[in-house]
Amino acid sequence: MNTQDVFVPGSTIGIIGGGQLGRMSAVAASKLGYHVHVLSPEFPSPATEVAASVTVGAYDDPAVLEDFASRCDVVTFEFENISAEGLALLERHRPVRPAGEILRISQDRITEKTRLSEIGVSLAPWHAVNGPEDLLGLETLGFPLILKTTRFGYDGKGQFRVPDAEALAALDNLPYPLVAEKMIDFERELSVMVVRALDGTVRCFDAVENRHRNGILDITLAPARVMPDIARQAQDMAARIAEALGLVGIMGVEMFHAADGSLMVNEIAPRPHNSGHWTMDACLVDQFEMHVRAVAGLPLPPARRHSDAVMHNLIGPEDMARRVPAILATDGASLHLYGKSEAREGRKMGHVNTIFPRGALPGELALEGLLPPRG
């Protein structure tokens, strides 16, 4: 590792994206003595509220990008739906971590699954669907299956469930290209936040269990309720992907823990991730500080959990009105709001972490009672 690749406190970290992940990354960077310059098409936004400086402009405008690069020492990004071409332009001027090639892989489900297959990790059976003619062979996957848009799908968007051959034959006007995946009989969804440093050091946070509501992450349990060998396998799989991709920075790896005990990777996200928010209160060094350290070229401490945690997302106006007051009055609950101006249905407005001594994660009945119910 060249010392010129290391950026000491006082340097400026550029963050592409103005959302909540950029906001929390900027706060972590500030804690370590870095300045943050945010590029966002919108102002104000959650990240611009806490940044030292801001460029307002499009992610694919060469003039905007060159000006942004001139104001930063090193660049990262907070979500995948940005311009890979713009990132490639930035890489001609400044280090970008994670690299633009990793972003390009994660932006397209066909490219992502192809690369993960090359790495040798297990995936659910899948086929590329580039047009109507490719629908004819999908029965070989078996039903039920799910069709997903190859790009710009998140929080359950761009997905079509296909229960049987009759439903498949009735499909029309689909937004090709798509990926078809065999729906797995899985016990739970797991995820691992893995971070890799410039010197090749890899750290994995504990494997966690994710539960969704209406296609959006609702609850994360840390640690996951699985046997220790399954948790280790999940961490090993995440580390293997990070090393194969040459990751510098943090990445979320989502997996299915199938009913037969096997693990299959669902997707990767080379950035801080919603399922890593529990680390903000259950770890001395959380996912955002780990990411900043890796981006700046600093050493990585062990990803150690000092407490068990339950993370609940706060979604839409109902959660803001009904749940926030109760959270503020609850012992052991730590509230994190994102500063979004409008609470829309399905929009993530914040999250709450409730922490417990290690080994004291509550059972299902107690879990349901942690927050006032929705509706």
Side-chain angles (χ1 to χ4, degrees), residues 282-344:
C283 300
L284 186 62
V285 178
D286 66 21
Q287 67 161 338
F288 298 101
E289 182 175 334
M290 281 286 205
H291 181 57
V292 169
R293 284 175 177 246
V295 167
L298 302 182
L300 299 182
R304 188 172 293 124
R305 172 179 55 84
H306 58 67
S307 301
D308 290 356
V310 178
M311 189 282 299
H312 285 79
N313 271 329
L314 301 174
I315 300 169
E318 183 181 341
D319 275 6
M320 293 298 288
R322 300 189 66 224
R323 289 185 156 199
V324 167
I327 292 164
L328 290 171
T330 300
D331 184 28
S334 178
L335 179 65
H336 303 266
L337 297 181
Y338 303 151
K340 294 182 179 180
S341 59
E342 182 183 0
R344 298 193 299 264

Side-chain angles (χ1 to χ4, degrees), residues 138-303:
L138 293 187
E139 292 190 22
T140 60
L141 280 178
F143 295 103
L145 57 84
I146 187 166
L147 293 170
K148 299 179 181 179
T149 54
T150 58
R151 299 174 69 86
F152 305 118
Y154 63 95
D155 288 346
K157 297 178 175 67
Q159 299 188 9
F160 310 88
R161 295 179 182 272
V162 184
D164 50 38
E166 183 179 357
L168 180 64
L171 292 173
D172 194 17
N173 297 320
L174 291 170
Y176 300 104
L178 298 161
V179 164
E181 296 178 9
K182 167 70 175 173
M183 291 186 69
I184 300 300
D185 180 18
F186 64 92
E187 295 286 337
R188 56 186 60 81
E189 180 190 283
L190 304 180
S191 62
V192 173
M193 299 306 304
V194 55
V195 59
R196 183 174 179 272
L198 274 172
D199 65 4
T201 299
V202 175
R203 306 293 193 196
C204 290
F205 287 98
D206 287 340
V208 298
E209 179 179 344
N210 300 317
R211 300 181 181 182
H212 293 76
R213 179 185 175 93
N214 300 324
I216 302 173
L217 180 62
D218 185 31
I219 297 173
T220 295
L221 306 178
R225 294 171 174 174
V226 296
M227 297 299 290
D229 64 316
I230 296 295
R232 283 193 297 271
Q233 287 178 41
Q235 291 177 312
D236 290 346
M237 192 175 290
R240 183 177 178 184
I241 296 169
E243 290 173 335
L245 295 178
L247 176 76
V248 176
I250 201 162
M251 178 172 67
V253 181
E254 295 181 358
M255 309 173 191
F256 298 124
H257 178 213
D260 64 5
S262 63
L263 290 177
M264 287 173 260
V265 174
N266 179 28
E267 62 184 22
I268 61 173
R271 53 165 173 80
H273 194 265
N274 194 172
S275 69
H277 290 350
W278 64 273
T279 63
M280 297 176 75
D281 296 290
C283 300
L284 186 62
V285 178
D286 66 21
Q287 67 161 338
F288 298 101
E289 182 175 334
M290 281 286 205
H291 181 57
V292 169
R293 284 175 177 246
V295 167
L298 302 182
L300 299 182

Side-chain angles (χ1 to χ4, degrees), residues 3-43:
T3 56
Q4 292 180 335
D5 296 329
V6 177
F7 299 93
V8 299
S11 303
T12 297
I13 298 175
I15 298 178
I16 304 173
Q20 65 262 24
L21 298 177
R23 179 189 182 99
M24 291 180 276
S25 296
V27 170
S30 176
K31 173 184 170 183
L32 292 176
Y34 291 93
H35 308 292
V36 168
H37 189 97
V38 167
L39 169 60
S40 173
E42 299 177 352
F43 184 88

Side-chain angles (χ1 to χ4, degrees), residues 75 77 80 82-91 94-107 245-246 248 270:
V75 174
F77 49 89
E80 290 99 318
I82 59 178
S83 167
E85 294 75 16
L87 218 56
L89 186 153
L90 284 172
E91 286 180 318
R94 294 290 185 268
V96 176
R97 300 169 181 165
E101 175 62 13
I102 300 177
L103 172 71
R104 186 189 69 80
I105 291 169
S106 70
Q107 282 183 325
L245 295 178
V248 176

